[in-house]
Amino acid sequence: MTAEPSPDSLSLPLELADFRPGSVWLAGAGPGDPGLLTLLALQGLRQADVIVHDALVGERIMALAAPSARLEFAGKRGGKPSAHQDDITNRLIELAREGHRVLRLKGGDPFVFGRGGEEAQALAERGIPFRIIPGITAGIAGPAYAGIPATHRTANQAVILATGHSCAGGPDWKALAATGAPLILYMAWKGLPGIAAALMEGGRSADTPVGVVTDATTERQRVLVTSLGACVADLEASGMEPPAIIVIGEVVRLRPVLDWLPKELPHG
């Protein structure tokens, strides 16, 4: 694997946006591979005075921050001690009011199950200038790095992104099963037994292929291909651990042909 370039050696070919003091950029860092950062996210890393970052933003991405930037950890991980969302939001407001250029850096995309909408709403209510910088979401990139396309003309004309963990009780899995569309699930590890059972009750066959991608797009990535009926037992026996993206649908059958990522290929 090649050495990581130092932050000082990185320069952008153009000025993409004005990162003003007293403002907040809500940016997605992508799923893990630094090569999937957007140029705007990289500019934010290079220009921010303070970077408030999540647990899923890896060390190789944080190494791209300007040496002068102050790093503040605000990770939220299921089942582990985490910062409270209100505290994170209030900290963003406080830092902006102190005149800092604040980068709120989240894994994936801030508006896809990332609470970026909640934080942006709070900033708007308090008159704090902000910018949204979309990132590549793990639900698309993770399967792609596993050779599983979100859509394929011969397999599906729609795809459903859903969370397996919700304070509002979660999706109606039987209704989603009835659509026939592939499901891409975030944060569904613990809820998978109930989700799989509900999908089969809703009409999905036990033979429906399932792909599980852990540590997507990083050098630790692992992939399990199983079926809806066997996925719970197979996942338990696999020794894999979250974070994971779970794909349920016919697109998983394309992995043997589209598995493009050589084991020796540097990534993440």
Side-chain angles (χ1 to χ4, degrees), residues 95-251:
L95 290 168
R97 285 178 172 170
E98 290 174 356
H100 298 295
R101 292 174 295 184
V102 184
L103 179 67
R104 175 67 170 115
L105 193 61
K106 295 171 171 286
D109 182 283
F111 273 14
V112 181
F113 305 121
R115 299 195 178 186
E118 298 172 39
E119 294 175 359
Q121 185 177 12
L123 294 170
E125 290 172 350
R126 289 161 178 80
I128 304 295
F130 65 92
R131 183 185 186 97
I132 306 301
I133 301 175
I136 298 176
T137 182
I140 302 300
Y145 266 52
I148 301 171
T151 67
H152 190 279
R153 188 165 59 93
T154 65
N156 62 309
Q157 288 73 50
V159 64
I160 297 171
L161 306 183
T163 174
H165 174 76
S166 173
C167 59
D172 183 338
W173 297 111
K174 292 182 181 179
L176 294 184
T179 67
L183 305 176
I184 297 179
L185 308 183
Y186 298 68
M187 299 171 286
W189 190 280
K190 290 184 177 180
L192 187 58
I195 292 169
L199 290 174
M200 288 185 285
E201 289 176 12
R204 291 290 175 101
S205 168
D207 294 330
T208 302
V210 174
V212 181
V213 186
T214 61
D215 291 309
T217 79
T218 76
E219 72 279 3
R220 302 177 305 280
Q221 176 176 295
R222 294 183 62 189
V223 182
L224 171 69
V225 174
T226 177
S227 66
L228 193 56
C231 63
V232 174
D234 287 351
L235 191 56
E236 183 176 348
S238 71
M240 297 165 69
E241 296 182 352
I245 292 294
I246 300 174
V247 186
I248 302 172
E250 293 302 311
V251 289

Side-chain angles (χ1 to χ4, degrees), residues 1-2 33 60 145 217-221 259-268:
M1 185 175 293
T2 58
D33 186 339
R60 295 183 69 206
Y145 266 52
T217 79
T218 76
E219 72 279 3
R220 302 177 305 280
Q221 176 176 295
D259 184 14
W260 60 274
L261 187 64
K263 299 299 181 183
E264 69 275 9
L265 184 68
H267 66 288

